[in-house]
């Protein structure tokens, strides 16, 4: 059994939408009340309240306010767990010497949604075509909402838990499926061995010199985005026009994200389908894209340039590509080799004589003073990691991270294929 996440777009009618909003408001009220209880208990008695104490109070809450009953007890518990996680994260960061913000009260408008942590209280039925029906609640209170999308795992995939979220006025349901191993498998069409170097100039360069151009989604949309942001800055904050522009900006961001995810999905799928061995270097986008700002005492250099490079790097979504490669390679039986970047230094090493040839990131051509080997810089890197992959005992195990268990995470790792993302 494997766990996979898929997302469906919901198509509620007006009445269903109103009910969904009302349920979200109740979940939000519960969250805020539970937060207040914790704060009060601490202020008045110096006592901290645990998740279980709050969970045990739920039956009484349902007796006093019957409108909570139709929300389902497990969904209510899940919202309390979400608060508990916020506190755990807060204390963990305090302990680590960081300065986190205290868990906040949330307004119903900004409350993202709610979740059912197990198969109780809802049902998802996939039809033949691209449609599905999501049924939440039970008896007369049940809602049957049309959903758009389809997953590729067949009838043996069993939905395990769902999270309903609202994003840019659009309701989505994210489903965790329990899928038999066989239903996850991908067919491979070839047994190539390829090295690939991800970069900003070209999104990907292979060891044979082939390249995949960087679509530069963000770069193309940036002037448009900036214009909208400038226009919004001229409006009075909180005014109708200000809000309207905010929504347009959010939608543009979303569209850029959708196009990017779609591109990365398609290209990574093609890579694992063609390859028996796929080599690339390990990636640390968090440190790579660290701001060059520095501190007041030691200000960094070339901060703006680094910010531009960071934007390009994050926009090119290498982290996303690596995540997708990891699980898709496993599904296709492809060996994904991740070279140890620090030891190997693929961009500095000569693929012909293995000597280190230092160069700056502006130098696009590798010219070796030791053996005279000349090659485009990125192709040389791709070749170096491919040679490394052919050497036993090097590299890092490339195993996909397991999906987190559904425990009130507001954001979870999604593992999706294009066929399952109808919102693209
Ligand atoms: Zn050389």
């Amino acid at each position: 059994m494997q766990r996979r996440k898929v997302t469906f777009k919901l198509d509620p009618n007006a009445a269903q939408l109103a009910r969904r909003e009302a349920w979200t408001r109740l979940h939000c009220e519960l969250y805020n009340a539970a937060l207040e209880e914790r704060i009060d208990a601490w202020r008045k008695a110096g006592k901290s309240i645990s998740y279980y104490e709050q969970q045990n109070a739920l039956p009484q809450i349902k007796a006093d306010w019957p409108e909570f009953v139709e929300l389902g007890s497990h969904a209510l518990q899940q919202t309390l767990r979400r608060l508990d996680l916020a506190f755990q994260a807060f204390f963990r960061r305090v302990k680590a010497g960081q300065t986190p913000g205290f868990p906040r009260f949330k307004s119903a408008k900004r409350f993202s949604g709610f979740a059912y942590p197990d198969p109780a209280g809802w049902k998802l039925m996939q039809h033949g075509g691209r449609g599905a029906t999501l049924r939440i609640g039970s008896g007369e209170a049940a809602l049957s909402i049309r959903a758009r999308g389809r997953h590729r795992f067949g009838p043996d995939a069993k939905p395990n838990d769902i999270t309903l979220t609202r994003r840019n006025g659009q309701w989505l349901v994210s489903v965790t499926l329990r899928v038999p191993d066989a239903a996850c498998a991908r067919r491979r069409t070839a047994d190539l061995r390829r090295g690939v170097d991800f970069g900003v100039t070209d999104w990907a360069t292979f060891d044979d010199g082939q390249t995949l151009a960087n679509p530069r989604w963000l770069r193309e949309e940036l002037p448009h985005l900036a214009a909208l942001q400038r226009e919004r800055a001229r409006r009075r904050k909180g005014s109708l026009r200000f809000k309207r522009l905010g929504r347009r900006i959010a939608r543009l961001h979303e569209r850029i994200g959708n196009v990017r995810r779609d591109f990365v999905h398609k290209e990574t799928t093609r890579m694992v389908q063609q390859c028996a061995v796929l080599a690339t270097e390990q990636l640390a986008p968090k440190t790579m894209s660290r701001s060059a700002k520095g501190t007041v005492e030691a200000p960094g250099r070339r901060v703006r340039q680094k910010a531009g490079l960071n934007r390009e790097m994050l926009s090119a979504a290498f982290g996303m590509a690596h995540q997708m490669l990891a699980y898709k390679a496993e599904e296709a039986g492809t060996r994904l080799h991740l070279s140890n970047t620090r030891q190997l230094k693929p961009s500095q090493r000569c693929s012909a004589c293995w000597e280190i040839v230092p160069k700056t990131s502006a130098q696009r051509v590798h010219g070796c003073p030791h053996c005279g080997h000349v090659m485009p810089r990125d192709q040389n890197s791709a070749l170096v990691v491919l040679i490394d992959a052919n050497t036993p005992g090097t590299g890092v195990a490339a195993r996909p991270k397991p999906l987190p268990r559904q425990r009130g995470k507001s954001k979870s790792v999604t593992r999706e294929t294009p066929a399952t993302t109808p919102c693209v």
Side-chain angles (χ1 to χ4, degrees):
M1 277 297 184
Q2 305 255 352
R3 291 150 57 78
R4 291 288 182 270
K5 279 209 135 178
V6 292
T7 302
F8 295 86
K9 202 172 189 174
L10 290 177
D11 256 345
N13 61 31
Q16 291 171 337
L17 193 65
R19 288 276 299 284
R20 295 282 309 285
E21 298 286 351
W23 287 11
T24 308
R25 258 196 312 279
L26 288 176
H27 273 284
C28 180
E29 274 172 29
L30 177 68
Y31 186 95
N32 287 336
L35 174 56
E36 195 170 356
E37 189 190 12
R38 285 186 183 227
I39 295 172
D40 276 356
W42 182 254
R43 279 209 189 120
K44 288 180 187 150
K47 183 176 164 294
S48 52
I49 294 184
S50 74
Y51 162 74
Y52 287 100
E53 286 168 76
Q54 297 198 311
Q55 184 196 305
N56 291 338
L58 279 177
Q60 190 56 47
I61 291 175
K62 283 192 282 189
D64 293 345
W65 293 283
E67 62 266 36
F68 279 96
V69 173
E70 65 176 4
L71 269 52
S73 36
H74 290 188
L76 293 172
Q77 291 171 9
Q78 192 63 20
T79 293
L80 291 180
R81 235 176 248 132
R82 190 167 150 189
L83 175 70
D84 193 50
L85 273 177
F87 270 95
Q88 282 176 23
F90 172 74
F91 288 124
R92 187 192 61 234
R93 293 188 59 197
V94 168
K95 220 172 160 184
Q98 296 165 330
T99 48
F102 193 77
R104 286 202 236 179
F105 290 103
K106 299 189 188 231
S107 81
K109 252 197 215 159
R110 309 186 73 168
F111 202 69
S112 65
F114 52 95
Y116 292 84
D118 50 47
W122 58 276
K123 198 169 181 191
L124 185 80
M125 292 150 282
Q126 180 165 313
H127 312 313
R130 287 191 66 80
T133 304
L134 174 70
R135 198 177 146 85
I136 46 176
S138 56
E140 278 183 32
L143 284 181
S144 284
I145 306 174
R146 275 200 315 170
R148 276 190 281 166
R150 201 164 79 87
H151 61 74
R152 65 181 180 93
F153 301 108
D156 292 335
K158 294 278 173 285
N160 185 67
D161 54 72
I162 53 170
T163 306
L164 293 134
T165 47
R166 182 175 38 185
R167 202 175 60 205
N168 291 333
Q170 175 72 60
W171 277 95
L172 303 168
V173 57
S174 172
V175 188
T176 310
L177 299 167
R178 300 168 63 82
V179 188
D181 292 349
C184 289
R186 280 167 197 272
R187 250 220 318 272
R188 234 186 26 233
T189 53
D191 291 323
L192 304 175
R193 305 169 75 87
R194 303 185 95 174
V196 56
D197 180 77
F198 292 102
V200 172
T201 322
D202 283 309
W203 188 71
T205 307
F206 294 96
D207 59 282
D208 57 4
Q210 274 186 50
T211 57
L212 284 174
N214 191 344
R216 308 241 167 169
W217 321 270
L218 199 51
R219 174 167 286 186
E220 272 167 31
E221 293 290 354
L222 263 183
H224 188 187
L225 192 62
L228 283 177
Q229 279 164 339
R230 264 197 309 276
E231 203 181 328
R232 184 173 67 160
R234 283 199 298 269
R235 307 291 173 201
R236 193 160 45 81
K237 207 171 169 185
S239 70
L240 195 63
R241 284 198 173 86
F242 182 91
K243 284 180 193 158
R244 211 179 277 154
L245 283 162
R247 279 197 294 273
R248 279 177 65 188
I249 291 168
R251 272 203 302 272
L252 183 55
H253 270 303
E254 191 184 356
R255 194 165 68 231
I256 292 167
N258 286 346
V259 173
R260 170 190 332 189
R261 197 168 51 246
D262 184 55
F263 171 82
V264 179
H265 259 308
K266 283 173 180 158
E267 296 306 338
T268 52
T269 296
R270 191 169 324 171
M271 285 179 203
V272 298
Q273 273 178 346
Q274 292 171 343
C275 297
V277 176
L278 187 66
T280 188
E281 65 181 290
Q282 220 183 344
L283 188 77
K286 266 191 190 142
T287 40
M288 255 165 68
S289 60
R290 197 166 40 202
S291 167
K293 197 163 61 186
T295 57
V296 179
E297 295 83 44
R301 292 174 54 235
R302 300 171 64 81
V303 177
R304 290 312 310 158
Q305 287 87 336
K306 186 73 198 308
L309 183 63
N310 286 349
R311 193 166 50 222
E312 288 287 331
M313 264 185 318
L314 295 174
S315 159
F318 306 133
M320 195 195 285
H322 269 239
Q323 265 182 22
M324 289 180 190
L325 282 178
Y327 81 81
K328 288 179 183 180
E330 196 178 71
E331 289 174 352
T334 297
R335 179 162 76 87
L336 178 65
H337 174 90
L338 298 183
S339 293
N340 186 324
T341 308
R342 284 218 189 126
Q343 277 178 20
L344 190 68
K345 297 187 174 61
S347 58
Q348 312 288 325
R349 194 174 293 277
C350 175
S351 59
C353 70
W354 220 243
E355 290 291 328
I356 290 284
V357 184
K359 39 186 157 333
T360 66
S361 52
Q363 281 170 266
R364 303 313 308 165
V365 176
H366 165 83
C368 181
H370 306 281
C371 69
H373 184 62
V374 176
M375 200 179 231
R377 174 204 176 96
D378 294 338
Q379 185 186 357
N380 178 68
S381 299
L383 198 53
V384 169
V385 290
L386 180 61
I387 295 168
D388 187 52
N390 293 337
T391 317
T394 61
V396 190
R399 297 200 66 78
K401 264 197 294 186
L403 286 170
R405 287 225 155 268
Q406 182 74 351
R407 278 281 178 260
K409 290 232 165 180
S410 52
K411 253 191 181 169
S412 43
V413 180
T414 48
R415 195 166 284 176
E416 296 167 315
T417 56
T420 62
T421 46
C423 22
V424 169

